[in-house]
Amino acid sequence: MSHRIAVVGSGPAGLTFARVLHRHDYPVTVLERDPAPDARPPGGTLDLHEGLGQLALEKAGLLAEFQALSRPEGQAMRILDADGTVLRDWQPRPDERANPEIDRGQLRDLLLGPLDVQWGRGVTQVVPGAGDGVRVHFEDGRQETFDLVVGADGAWSRIRPAVSSVTPHYTGVTSVETSLDDVDTRHPDLARLIGDGSVAAYGVNCSLGAQRNSGGHVKVYAKFRAPLDWHTKLDLADVEAVRSSLLALFDGWAAPVLDLLRHGTAFVHRPFYVLPVSHTWPHVAGVTLLGDAAHLMPPLGVGANLAMLEGAELAEAIAAGPGDLDAAVRAFEQQMWARAGRWAEITMAGLERLVSPDPAEALALFDQVQPS
């Protein structure tokens, strides 16, 4: 008999989990707070790694479709000095498929496929040990009971409190994001500066970068060390005020680099929060976590990959041993904690070097990760 399983959250982790279960003809309920798939902007582009995100898609039977959608050329990376000097200009080989890019919206639609997501079902809390299973409380006051509830609902998970009292803490690094549209037509000089993939320049405790998405859309990221309340005297909805504040922060940088900020149309504040590097919890029957809900780490290209692989692995474990659901979840958690702990250490160390008092640290890290 199939167990009653719900996953909360329709991000990469939750959808990969559901899609792999679906491939094994195993029923699963996907609960999502948003009222529709396109209720919010999907975010920027993701690089899916061989052995992580790409392996998860293979387990879901979607690797060929991903390869048709992805942008291998998006792996290109250019590093500039603050004066605009090109320090590194790495271009992928024509057959390079280690980390191709895909827009988050495209990945979401690929994973959604035949899944039946219950949109507009905001979860407020889950209560384990409710007699006949785990009780899920919804924003509309209704309740449902499941044998397993998987929290894939991100940094501020509503499911996490059922297994852990730990909450995310601020890293001291914040990001302000803006974007450019139709960059090749409207801003050809910037298009050439960015190239086919990403460009970044590093200063003292700050960086400025841009990354291509599909369709001529570019995401721009200003990252810097600052108190969490750095913006209290600034109206973040005032585009000109935010732009002026950022330009002052990067004062003296080359004009072509600062044009990434000058042409931004809106700004979004995204402080970097993390969970402790070795976040674990006492096993709770009927509840577990995936991705950012389990191990929030700096956004250095690993989090979504780990989350997707975890979703695929948990789904496979459940499908392989339906008779002992709790044993499958226990074994999965041990495996997840060990791997996520290693990556959390790596990404925290990476953040320290990428937003550093010594800009040479960022260049050295690039040479270590992507040797020429």
Side-chain angles (χ1 to χ4, degrees), residues 1-7 14 17-31 114-118 146-150 314-315 318-319 322 325:
M1 179 182 295
S2 294
H3 296 285
R4 301 166 297 174
I5 297 176
V7 58
F17 171 72
R19 192 64 190 267
V20 174
L21 279 181
H22 181 274
R23 192 184 190 196
H24 290 275
D25 298 318
Y26 210 101
V28 59
T29 300
V30 183
L31 304 170
L115 296 178
D116 183 17
V117 178
Q118 295 187 15
F146 297 90
D147 299 306
L148 174 65
V149 177
V150 178
L314 178 58
I318 291 169
L325 181 63

PDB file of all heavy atoms in Angstrom, residues 1-7 14 17-31 114-118 146-150 314-315 318-319 322 325:
ATOM      1  N   MET A   1       0.846  -1.193   0.000  1.00  0.00           N
ATOM      2  CA  MET A   1       0.000   0.000   0.000  1.00  0.00           C
ATOM      3  C   MET A   1       0.879   1.241   0.000  1.00  0.00           C
ATOM      4  O   MET A   1       1.851   1.326   0.741  1.00  0.00           O
ATOM      5  CB  MET A   1      -0.913   0.011   1.233  1.00  0.00           C
ATOM      6  CG  MET A   1      -1.818   1.237   1.314  1.00  0.00           C
ATOM      7  SD  MET A   1      -2.830   1.228   2.799  1.00  0.00           S
ATOM      8  CE  MET A   1      -3.849  -0.195   2.480  1.00  0.00           C
ATOM      9  N   SER A   2       0.545   2.220  -0.819  1.00  0.00           N
ATOM     10  CA  SER A   2       1.314   3.456  -0.889  1.00  0.00           C
ATOM     11  C   SER A   2       1.060   4.306   0.340  1.00  0.00           C
ATOM     12  O   SER A   2      -0.054   4.379   0.859  1.00  0.00           O
ATOM     13  CB  SER A   2       0.935   4.240  -2.142  1.00  0.00           C
ATOM     14  OG  SER A   2       1.323   3.537  -3.295  1.00  0.00           O
ATOM     15  N   HIS A   3       2.111   4.967   0.780  1.00  0.00           N
ATOM     16  CA  HIS A   3       1.984   5.884   1.905  1.00  0.00           C
ATOM     17  C   HIS A   3       1.433   7.222   1.438  1.00  0.00           C
ATOM     18  O   HIS A   3       1.569   7.595   0.267  1.00  0.00           O
ATOM     19  CB  HIS A   3       3.343   6.089   2.556  1.00  0.00           C
ATOM     20  CG  HIS A   3       3.923   4.847   3.163  1.00  0.00           C
ATOM     21  ND1 HIS A   3       3.473   4.313   4.342  1.00  0.00           N
ATOM     22  CD2 HIS A   3       4.920   4.024   2.727  1.00  0.00           C
ATOM     23  CE1 HIS A   3       4.179   3.225   4.627  1.00  0.00           C
ATOM     24  NE2 HIS A   3       5.063   3.027   3.658  1.00  0.00           N
ATOM     25  N   ARG A   4       0.855   7.959   2.369  1.00  0.00           N
ATOM     26  CA  ARG A   4       0.374   9.315   2.080  1.00  0.00           C
ATOM     27  C   ARG A   4       1.558  10.263   2.273  1.00  0.00           C
ATOM     28  O   ARG A   4       2.016  10.462   3.397  1.00  0.00           O
ATOM     29  CB  ARG A   4      -0.767   9.691   3.021  1.00  0.00           C
ATOM     30  CG  ARG A   4      -1.986   8.775   2.958  1.00  0.00           C
ATOM     31  CD  ARG A   4      -2.904   9.014   4.150  1.00  0.00           C
ATOM     32  NE  ARG A   4      -2.213   8.685   5.408  1.00  0.00           N
ATOM     33  CZ  ARG A   4      -2.731   8.916   6.632  1.00  0.00           C
ATOM     34  NH1 ARG A   4      -3.926   9.486   6.740  1.00  0.00           N
ATOM     35  NH2 ARG A   4      -2.056   8.594   7.712  1.00  0.00           N
ATOM     36  N   ILE A   5       2.047  10.824   1.170  1.00  0.00           N
ATOM     37  CA  ILE A   5       3.242  11.658   1.214  1.00  0.00           C
ATOM     38  C   ILE A   5       2.931  13.035   0.646  1.00  0.00           C
ATOM     39  O   ILE A   5       2.295  13.147  -0.409  1.00  0.00           O
ATOM     40  CB  ILE A   5       4.388  11.014   0.409  1.00  0.00           C
ATOM     41  CG1 ILE A   5       4.776   9.665   1.044  1.00  0.00           C
ATOM     42  CG2 ILE A   5       5.603  11.934   0.335  1.00  0.00           C
ATOM     43  CD1 ILE A   5       5.830   8.915   0.267  1.00  0.00           C
ATOM     44  N   ALA A   6       3.383  14.062   1.348  1.00  0.00           N
ATOM     45  CA  ALA A   6       3.245  15.440   0.866  1.00  0.00           C
ATOM     46  C   ALA A   6       4.603  16.105   0.874  1.00  0.00           C
ATOM     47  O   ALA A   6       5.427  15.861   1.769  1.00  0.00           O
ATOM     48  CB  ALA A   6       2.280  16.231   1.739  1.00  0.00           C
ATOM     49  N   VAL A   7       4.855  16.942  -0.120  1.00  0.00           N
ATOM     50  CA  VAL A   7       6.045  17.786  -0.127  1.00  0.00           C
ATOM     51  C   VAL A   7       5.566  19.228  -0.169  1.00  0.00           C
ATOM     52  O   VAL A   7       4.681  19.580  -0.955  1.00  0.00           O
ATOM     53  CB  VAL A   7       6.987  17.459  -1.306  1.00  0.00           C
ATOM     54  CG1 VAL A   7       6.301  17.600  -2.661  1.00  0.00           C
ATOM     55  CG2 VAL A   7       8.246  18.317  -1.252  1.00  0.00           C
ATOM     56  N   GLY A  14      11.526  20.329  -4.147  1.00  0.00           N
ATOM     57  CA  GLY A  14      10.220  19.703  -4.030  1.00  0.00           C
ATOM     58  C   GLY A  14       9.739  19.089  -5.326  1.00  0.00           C
ATOM     59  O   GLY A  14       9.188  17.979  -5.347  1.00  0.00           O
ATOM     60  N   PHE A  17      11.771  15.879  -6.192  1.00  0.00           N
ATOM     61  CA  PHE A  17      11.274  14.792  -5.344  1.00  0.00           C
ATOM     62  C   PHE A  17       9.969  14.230  -5.905  1.00  0.00           C
ATOM     63  O   PHE A  17       9.826  13.014  -6.089  1.00  0.00           O
ATOM     64  CB  PHE A  17      11.069  15.328  -3.929  1.00  0.00           C
ATOM     65  CG  PHE A  17      10.367  14.386  -2.993  1.00  0.00           C
ATOM     66  CD1 PHE A  17      11.014  13.252  -2.509  1.00  0.00           C
ATOM     67  CD2 PHE A  17       9.066  14.636  -2.579  1.00  0.00           C
ATOM     68  CE1 PHE A  17      10.361  12.382  -1.639  1.00  0.00           C
ATOM     69  CE2 PHE A  17       8.413  13.783  -1.712  1.00  0.00           C
ATOM     70  CZ  PHE A  17       9.062  12.646  -1.235  1.00  0.00           C
ATOM     71  N   ALA A  18       9.028  15.112  -6.205  1.00  0.00           N
ATOM     72  CA  ALA A  18       7.725  14.667  -6.701  1.00  0.00           C
ATOM     73  C   ALA A  18       7.838  14.016  -8.074  1.00  0.00           C
ATOM     74  O   ALA A  18       7.162  13.020  -8.367  1.00  0.00           O
ATOM     75  CB  ALA A  18       6.764  15.849  -6.753  1.00  0.00           C
ATOM     76  N   ARG A  19       8.712  14.579  -8.921  1.00  0.00           N
ATOM     77  CA  ARG A  19       8.813  14.056 -10.282  1.00  0.00           C
ATOM     78  C   ARG A  19       9.435  12.654 -10.288  1.00  0.00           C
ATOM     79  O   ARG A  19       9.020  11.787 -11.081  1.00  0.00           O
ATOM     80  CB  ARG A  19       9.636  15.018 -11.139  1.00  0.00           C
ATOM     81  CG  ARG A  19       9.573  14.727 -12.637  1.00  0.00           C
ATOM     82  CD  ARG A  19       8.157  14.915 -13.175  1.00  0.00           C
ATOM     83  NE  ARG A  19       8.043  14.417 -14.536  1.00  0.00           N
ATOM     84  CZ  ARG A  19       8.206  15.177 -15.629  1.00  0.00           C
ATOM     85  NH1 ARG A  19       8.455  16.472 -15.504  1.00  0.00           N
ATOM     86  NH2 ARG A  19       8.089  14.645 -16.817  1.00  0.00           N
ATOM     87  N   VAL A  20      10.409  12.396  -9.432  1.00  0.00           N
ATOM     88  CA  VAL A  20      11.002  11.063  -9.376  1.00  0.00           C
ATOM     89  C   VAL A  20      10.004  10.060  -8.796  1.00  0.00           C
ATOM     90  O   VAL A  20       9.887   8.927  -9.286  1.00  0.00           O
ATOM     91  CB  VAL A  20      12.320  11.075  -8.584  1.00  0.00           C
ATOM     92  CG1 VAL A  20      12.868   9.657  -8.403  1.00  0.00           C
ATOM     93  CG2 VAL A  20      13.359  11.942  -9.299  1.00  0.00           C
ATOM     94  N   LEU A  21       9.259  10.457  -7.773  1.00  0.00           N
ATOM     95  CA  LEU A  21       8.215   9.566  -7.268  1.00  0.00           C
ATOM     96  C   LEU A  21       7.188   9.269  -8.360  1.00  0.00           C
ATOM     97  O   LEU A  21       6.740   8.128  -8.528  1.00  0.00           O
ATOM     98  CB  LEU A  21       7.512  10.193  -6.058  1.00  0.00           C
ATOM     99  CG  LEU A  21       8.212  10.072  -4.705  1.00  0.00           C
ATOM    100  CD1 LEU A  21       7.369  10.728  -3.624  1.00  0.00           C
ATOM    101  CD2 LEU A  21       8.490   8.611  -4.339  1.00  0.00           C
ATOM    102  N   HIS A  22       6.816  10.308  -9.116  1.00  0.00           N
ATOM    103  CA  HIS A  22       5.860  10.122 -10.208  1.00  0.00           C
ATOM    104  C   HIS A  22       6.397   9.126 -11.237  1.00  0.00           C
ATOM    105  O   HIS A  22       5.649   8.289 -11.765  1.00  0.00           O
ATOM    106  CB  HIS A  22       5.570  11.469 -10.865  1.00  0.00           C
ATOM    107  CG  HIS A  22       4.579  11.401 -11.986  1.00  0.00           C
ATOM    108  ND1 HIS A  22       4.934  11.103 -13.280  1.00  0.00           N
ATOM    109  CD2 HIS A  22       3.221  11.578 -11.989  1.00  0.00           C
ATOM    110  CE1 HIS A  22       3.855  11.116 -14.039  1.00  0.00           C
ATOM    111  NE2 HIS A  22       2.809  11.403 -13.293  1.00  0.00           N
ATOM    112  N   ARG A  23       7.701   9.199 -11.508  1.00  0.00           N
ATOM    113  CA  ARG A  23       8.296   8.272 -12.470  1.00  0.00           C
ATOM    114  C   ARG A  23       8.186   6.827 -11.999  1.00  0.00           C
ATOM    115  O   ARG A  23       8.126   5.891 -12.805  1.00  0.00           O
ATOM    116  CB  ARG A  23       9.760   8.644 -12.704  1.00  0.00           C
ATOM    117  CG  ARG A  23      10.372   7.925 -13.902  1.00  0.00           C
ATOM    118  CD  ARG A  23      11.842   8.228 -14.051  1.00  0.00           C
ATOM    119  NE  ARG A  23      12.342   7.715 -15.331  1.00  0.00           N
ATOM    120  CZ  ARG A  23      13.612   7.549 -15.618  1.00  0.00           C
ATOM    121  NH1 ARG A  23      14.538   7.878 -14.720  1.00  0.00           N
ATOM    122  NH2 ARG A  23      13.978   7.071 -16.790  1.00  0.00           N
ATOM    123  N   HIS A  24       8.167   6.650 -10.673  1.00  0.00           N
ATOM    124  CA  HIS A  24       8.037   5.318 -10.099  1.00  0.00           C
ATOM    125  C   HIS A  24       6.579   4.982  -9.770  1.00  0.00           C
ATOM    126  O   HIS A  24       6.322   4.038  -9.008  1.00  0.00           O
ATOM    127  CB  HIS A  24       8.900   5.205  -8.839  1.00  0.00           C
ATOM    128  CG  HIS A  24      10.377   5.190  -9.114  1.00  0.00           C
ATOM    129  ND1 HIS A  24      11.063   4.042  -9.441  1.00  0.00           N
ATOM    130  CD2 HIS A  24      11.285   6.199  -9.135  1.00  0.00           C
ATOM    131  CE1 HIS A  24      12.344   4.336  -9.632  1.00  0.00           C
ATOM    132  NE2 HIS A  24      12.504   5.631  -9.453  1.00  0.00           N
ATOM    133  N   ASP A  25       5.648   5.757 -10.338  1.00  0.00           N
ATOM    134  CA  ASP A  25       4.205   5.530 -10.131  1.00  0.00           C
ATOM    135  C   ASP A  25       3.818   5.566  -8.656  1.00  0.00           C
ATOM    136  O   ASP A  25       2.969   4.806  -8.192  1.00  0.00           O
ATOM    137  CB  ASP A  25       3.776   4.189 -10.746  1.00  0.00           C
ATOM    138  CG  ASP A  25       3.996   4.149 -12.249  1.00  0.00           C
ATOM    139  OD1 ASP A  25       3.690   5.164 -12.905  1.00  0.00           O
ATOM    140  OD2 ASP A  25       4.474   3.126 -12.759  1.00  0.00           O
ATOM    141  N   TYR A  26       4.467   6.481  -7.926  1.00  0.00           N
ATOM    142  CA  TYR A  26       4.212   6.611  -6.499  1.00  0.00           C
ATOM    143  C   TYR A  26       3.483   7.930  -6.260  1.00  0.00           C
ATOM    144  O   TYR A  26       3.973   8.992  -6.631  1.00  0.00           O
ATOM    145  CB  TYR A  26       5.537   6.600  -5.729  1.00  0.00           C
ATOM    146  CG  TYR A  26       5.438   6.032  -4.349  1.00  0.00           C
ATOM    147  CD1 TYR A  26       5.843   4.732  -4.075  1.00  0.00           C
ATOM    148  CD2 TYR A  26       4.925   6.787  -3.305  1.00  0.00           C
ATOM    149  CE1 TYR A  26       5.763   4.195  -2.802  1.00  0.00           C
ATOM    150  CE2 TYR A  26       4.830   6.270  -2.030  1.00  0.00           C
ATOM    151  CZ  TYR A  26       5.245   4.966  -1.775  1.00  0.00           C
ATOM    152  OH  TYR A  26       5.150   4.441  -0.510  1.00  0.00           O
ATOM    153  N   PRO A  27       2.301   7.901  -5.643  1.00  0.00           N
ATOM    154  CA  PRO A  27       1.530   9.134  -5.470  1.00  0.00           C
ATOM    155  C   PRO A  27       2.174  10.089  -4.468  1.00  0.00           C
ATOM    156  O   PRO A  27       2.741   9.665  -3.459  1.00  0.00           O
ATOM    157  CB  PRO A  27       0.177   8.639  -4.955  1.00  0.00           C
ATOM    158  CG  PRO A  27       0.472   7.325  -4.311  1.00  0.00           C
ATOM    159  CD  PRO A  27       1.602   6.719  -5.099  1.00  0.00           C
ATOM    160  N   VAL A  28       2.094  11.369  -4.746  1.00  0.00           N
ATOM    161  CA  VAL A  28       2.625  12.400  -3.862  1.00  0.00           C
ATOM    162  C   VAL A  28       1.800  13.660  -4.035  1.00  0.00           C
ATOM    163  O   VAL A  28       1.339  13.971  -5.137  1.00  0.00           O
ATOM    164  CB  VAL A  28       4.121  12.675  -4.166  1.00  0.00           C
ATOM    165  CG1 VAL A  28       4.319  13.113  -5.611  1.00  0.00           C
ATOM    166  CG2 VAL A  28       4.698  13.713  -3.214  1.00  0.00           C
ATOM    167  N   THR A  29       1.598  14.378  -2.950  1.00  0.00           N
ATOM    168  CA  THR A  29       0.859  15.643  -2.972  1.00  0.00           C
ATOM    169  C   THR A  29       1.849  16.793  -2.863  1.00  0.00           C
ATOM    170  O   THR A  29       2.649  16.827  -1.921  1.00  0.00           O
ATOM    171  CB  THR A  29      -0.143  15.709  -1.798  1.00  0.00           C
ATOM    172  OG1 THR A  29      -1.068  14.625  -1.904  1.00  0.00           O
ATOM    173  CG2 THR A  29      -0.907  17.028  -1.815  1.00  0.00           C
ATOM    174  N   VAL A  30       1.821  17.713  -3.816  1.00  0.00           N
ATOM    175  CA  VAL A  30       2.695  18.885  -3.796  1.00  0.00           C
ATOM    176  C   VAL A  30       1.880  20.079  -3.322  1.00  0.00           C
ATOM    177  O   VAL A  30       0.874  20.444  -3.944  1.00  0.00           O
ATOM    178  CB  VAL A  30       3.293  19.174  -5.181  1.00  0.00           C
ATOM    179  CG1 VAL A  30       4.259  20.352  -5.107  1.00  0.00           C
ATOM    180  CG2 VAL A  30       4.015  17.943  -5.724  1.00  0.00           C
ATOM    181  N   LEU A  31       2.303  20.693  -2.219  1.00  0.00           N
ATOM    182  CA  LEU A  31       1.608  21.830  -1.614  1.00  0.00           C
ATOM    183  C   LEU A  31       2.441  23.088  -1.810  1.00  0.00           C
ATOM    184  O   LEU A  31       3.615  23.125  -1.430  1.00  0.00           O
ATOM    185  CB  LEU A  31       1.388  21.580  -0.119  1.00  0.00           C
ATOM    186  CG  LEU A  31       0.645  20.288   0.248  1.00  0.00           C
ATOM    187  CD1 LEU A  31       0.711  20.037   1.747  1.00  0.00           C
ATOM    188  CD2 LEU A  31      -0.809  20.371  -0.217  1.00  0.00           C
ATOM    189  N   PRO A 114       3.811  16.618 -15.745  1.00  0.00           N
ATOM    190  CA  PRO A 114       2.481  16.095 -15.442  1.00  0.00           C
ATOM    191  C   PRO A 114       2.071  16.225 -13.984  1.00  0.00           C
ATOM    192  O   PRO A 114       0.986  15.745 -13.600  1.00  0.00           O
ATOM    193  CB  PRO A 114       2.616  14.618 -15.834  1.00  0.00           C
ATOM    194  CG  PRO A 114       4.039  14.292 -15.476  1.00  0.00           C
ATOM    195  CD  PRO A 114       4.831  15.549 -15.803  1.00  0.00           C
ATOM    196  N   LEU A 115       2.910  16.824 -13.142  1.00  0.00           N
ATOM    197  CA  LEU A 115       2.611  16.875 -11.717  1.00  0.00           C
ATOM    198  C   LEU A 115       1.356  17.695 -11.438  1.00  0.00           C
ATOM    199  O   LEU A 115       1.109  18.719 -12.078  1.00  0.00           O
ATOM    200  CB  LEU A 115       3.788  17.470 -10.938  1.00  0.00           C
ATOM    201  CG  LEU A 115       5.099  16.685 -10.952  1.00  0.00           C
ATOM    202  CD1 LEU A 115       6.168  17.437 -10.184  1.00  0.00           C
ATOM    203  CD2 LEU A 115       4.900  15.291 -10.370  1.00  0.00           C
ATOM    204  N   ASP A 116       0.608  17.244 -10.461  1.00  0.00           N
ATOM    205  CA  ASP A 116      -0.597  17.955 -10.030  1.00  0.00           C
ATOM    206  C   ASP A 116      -0.272  18.711  -8.744  1.00  0.00           C
ATOM    207  O   ASP A 116      -0.306  18.140  -7.647  1.00  0.00           O
ATOM    208  CB  ASP A 116      -1.748  16.967  -9.809  1.00  0.00           C
ATOM    209  CG  ASP A 116      -3.038  17.673  -9.421  1.00  0.00           C
ATOM    210  OD1 ASP A 116      -3.139  18.890  -9.634  1.00  0.00           O
ATOM    211  OD2 ASP A 116      -3.940  16.986  -8.902  1.00  0.00           O
ATOM    212  N   VAL A 117       0.066  19.985  -8.884  1.00  0.00           N
ATOM    213  CA  VAL A 117       0.421  20.809  -7.727  1.00  0.00           C
ATOM    214  C   VAL A 117      -0.823  21.478  -7.174  1.00  0.00           C
ATOM    215  O   VAL A 117      -1.647  22.005  -7.925  1.00  0.00           O
ATOM    216  CB  VAL A 117       1.469  21.869  -8.113  1.00  0.00           C
ATOM    217  CG1 VAL A 117       1.804  22.766  -6.931  1.00  0.00           C
ATOM    218  CG2 VAL A 117       2.729  21.202  -8.655  1.00  0.00           C
ATOM    219  N   GLN A 118      -0.954  21.470  -5.864  1.00  0.00           N
ATOM    220  CA  GLN A 118      -2.062  22.176  -5.213  1.00  0.00           C
ATOM    221  C   GLN A 118      -1.594  23.606  -4.925  1.00  0.00           C
ATOM    222  O   GLN A 118      -0.934  23.869  -3.920  1.00  0.00           O
ATOM    223  CB  GLN A 118      -2.485  21.463  -3.935  1.00  0.00           C
ATOM    224  CG  GLN A 118      -3.069  20.082  -4.182  1.00  0.00           C
ATOM    225  CD  GLN A 118      -3.644  19.462  -2.926  1.00  0.00           C
ATOM    226  OE1 GLN A 118      -3.864  20.140  -1.913  1.00  0.00           O
ATOM    227  NE2 GLN A 118      -3.899  18.156  -2.963  1.00  0.00           N
ATOM    228  N   PHE A 146      -0.842  13.189   6.837  1.00  0.00           N
ATOM    229  CA  PHE A 146       0.009  12.419   5.928  1.00  0.00           C
ATOM    230  C   PHE A 146       0.925  11.512   6.739  1.00  0.00           C
ATOM    231  O   PHE A 146       1.172  11.753   7.930  1.00  0.00           O
ATOM    232  CB  PHE A 146       0.843  13.356   5.055  1.00  0.00           C
ATOM    233  CG  PHE A 146       0.046  14.235   4.140  1.00  0.00           C
ATOM    234  CD1 PHE A 146      -0.391  15.487   4.554  1.00  0.00           C
ATOM    235  CD2 PHE A 146      -0.290  13.808   2.860  1.00  0.00           C
ATOM    236  CE1 PHE A 146      -1.143  16.305   3.715  1.00  0.00           C
ATOM    237  CE2 PHE A 146      -1.034  14.613   2.010  1.00  0.00           C
ATOM    238  CZ  PHE A 146      -1.459  15.860   2.432  1.00  0.00           C
ATOM    239  N   ASP A 147       1.444  10.488   6.077  1.00  0.00           N
ATOM    240  CA  ASP A 147       2.430   9.617   6.720  1.00  0.00           C
ATOM    241  C   ASP A 147       3.821  10.246   6.707  1.00  0.00           C
ATOM    242  O   ASP A 147       4.630   9.965   7.592  1.00  0.00           O
ATOM    243  CB  ASP A 147       2.470   8.263   6.008  1.00  0.00           C
ATOM    244  CG  ASP A 147       1.136   7.543   6.073  1.00  0.00           C
ATOM    245  OD1 ASP A 147       0.616   7.356   7.185  1.00  0.00           O
ATOM    246  OD2 ASP A 147       0.599   7.196   5.002  1.00  0.00           O
ATOM    247  N   LEU A 148       4.094  11.062   5.675  1.00  0.00           N
ATOM    248  CA  LEU A 148       5.384  11.755   5.586  1.00  0.00           C
ATOM    249  C   LEU A 148       5.160  13.133   4.989  1.00  0.00           C
ATOM    250  O   LEU A 148       4.500  13.267   3.958  1.00  0.00           O
ATOM    251  CB  LEU A 148       6.364  10.980   4.712  1.00  0.00           C
ATOM    252  CG  LEU A 148       7.706  11.672   4.419  1.00  0.00           C
ATOM    253  CD1 LEU A 148       8.525  11.840   5.699  1.00  0.00           C
ATOM    254  CD2 LEU A 148       8.518  10.895   3.372  1.00  0.00           C
ATOM    255  N   VAL A 149       5.709  14.142   5.651  1.00  0.00           N
ATOM    256  CA  VAL A 149       5.694  15.506   5.125  1.00  0.00           C
ATOM    257  C   VAL A 149       7.147  15.929   4.911  1.00  0.00           C
ATOM    258  O   VAL A 149       7.963  15.897   5.844  1.00  0.00           O
ATOM    259  CB  VAL A 149       4.998  16.489   6.081  1.00  0.00           C
ATOM    260  CG1 VAL A 149       5.062  17.907   5.521  1.00  0.00           C
ATOM    261  CG2 VAL A 149       3.556  16.071   6.311  1.00  0.00           C
ATOM    262  N   VAL A 150       7.468  16.312   3.678  1.00  0.00           N
ATOM    263  CA  VAL A 150       8.822  16.723   3.311  1.00  0.00           C
ATOM    264  C   VAL A 150       8.846  18.239   3.166  1.00  0.00           C
ATOM    265  O   VAL A 150       8.120  18.802   2.342  1.00  0.00           O
ATOM    266  CB  VAL A 150       9.263  16.048   1.991  1.00  0.00           C
ATOM    267  CG1 VAL A 150      10.659  16.525   1.592  1.00  0.00           C
ATOM    268  CG2 VAL A 150       9.232  14.533   2.136  1.00  0.00           C
ATOM    269  N   LEU A 314      15.863  10.839  -2.093  1.00  0.00           N
ATOM    270  CA  LEU A 314      14.818  10.487  -1.132  1.00  0.00           C
ATOM    271  C   LEU A 314      13.667   9.776  -1.841  1.00  0.00           C
ATOM    272  O   LEU A 314      13.143   8.773  -1.340  1.00  0.00           O
ATOM    273  CB  LEU A 314      14.313  11.729  -0.408  1.00  0.00           C
ATOM    274  CG  LEU A 314      13.166  11.499   0.590  1.00  0.00           C
ATOM    275  CD1 LEU A 314      13.569  10.499   1.668  1.00  0.00           C
ATOM    276  CD2 LEU A 314      12.730  12.835   1.219  1.00  0.00           C
ATOM    277  N   ALA A 315      13.283  10.274  -3.000  1.00  0.00           N
ATOM    278  CA  ALA A 315      12.201   9.638  -3.751  1.00  0.00           C
ATOM    279  C   ALA A 315      12.565   8.212  -4.135  1.00  0.00           C
ATOM    280  O   ALA A 315      11.741   7.287  -4.017  1.00  0.00           O
ATOM    281  CB  ALA A 315      11.884  10.464  -4.998  1.00  0.00           C
ATOM    282  N   ILE A 318      12.363   5.903  -1.098  1.00  0.00           N
ATOM    283  CA  ILE A 318      10.980   5.587  -0.743  1.00  0.00           C
ATOM    284  C   ILE A 318      10.387   4.574  -1.713  1.00  0.00           C
ATOM    285  O   ILE A 318       9.744   3.597  -1.318  1.00  0.00           O
ATOM    286  CB  ILE A 318      10.138   6.879  -0.716  1.00  0.00           C
ATOM    287  CG1 ILE A 318      10.568   7.771   0.456  1.00  0.00           C
ATOM    288  CG2 ILE A 318       8.646   6.556  -0.643  1.00  0.00           C
ATOM    289  CD1 ILE A 318       9.982   9.161   0.414  1.00  0.00           C
ATOM    290  N   ALA A 319      10.629   4.787  -2.990  1.00  0.00           N
ATOM    291  CA  ALA A 319      10.070   3.887  -4.004  1.00  0.00           C
ATOM    292  C   ALA A 319      10.681   2.496  -3.919  1.00  0.00           C
ATOM    293  O   ALA A 319      10.011   1.489  -4.213  1.00  0.00           O
ATOM    294  CB  ALA A 319      10.288   4.472  -5.397  1.00  0.00           C
ATOM    295  N   PRO A 322       9.058   0.621   0.000  1.00  0.00           N
ATOM    296  CA  PRO A 322       7.806   1.197   0.502  1.00  0.00           C
ATOM    297  C   PRO A 322       7.320   0.585   1.807  1.00  0.00           C
ATOM    298  O   PRO A 322       6.497   1.162   2.495  1.00  0.00           O
ATOM    299  CB  PRO A 322       6.818   0.931  -0.637  1.00  0.00           C
ATOM    300  CG  PRO A 322       7.384  -0.252  -1.364  1.00  0.00           C
ATOM    301  CD  PRO A 322       8.862  -0.104  -1.272  1.00  0.00           C
ATOM    302  N   LEU A 325       8.953   3.027   5.480  1.00  0.00           N
ATOM    303  CA  LEU A 325       9.142   4.430   5.122  1.00  0.00           C
ATOM    304  C   LEU A 325      10.111   5.124   6.068  1.00  0.00           C
ATOM    305  O   LEU A 325      10.997   5.873   5.640  1.00  0.00           O
ATOM    306  CB  LEU A 325       7.779   5.137   5.128  1.00  0.00           C
ATOM    307  CG  LEU A 325       7.756   6.617   4.745  1.00  0.00           C
ATOM    308  CD1 LEU A 325       8.204   6.810   3.313  1.00  0.00           C
ATOM    309  CD2 LEU A 325       6.347   7.190   4.950  1.00  0.00           C
TER     310      LEU A 325
END
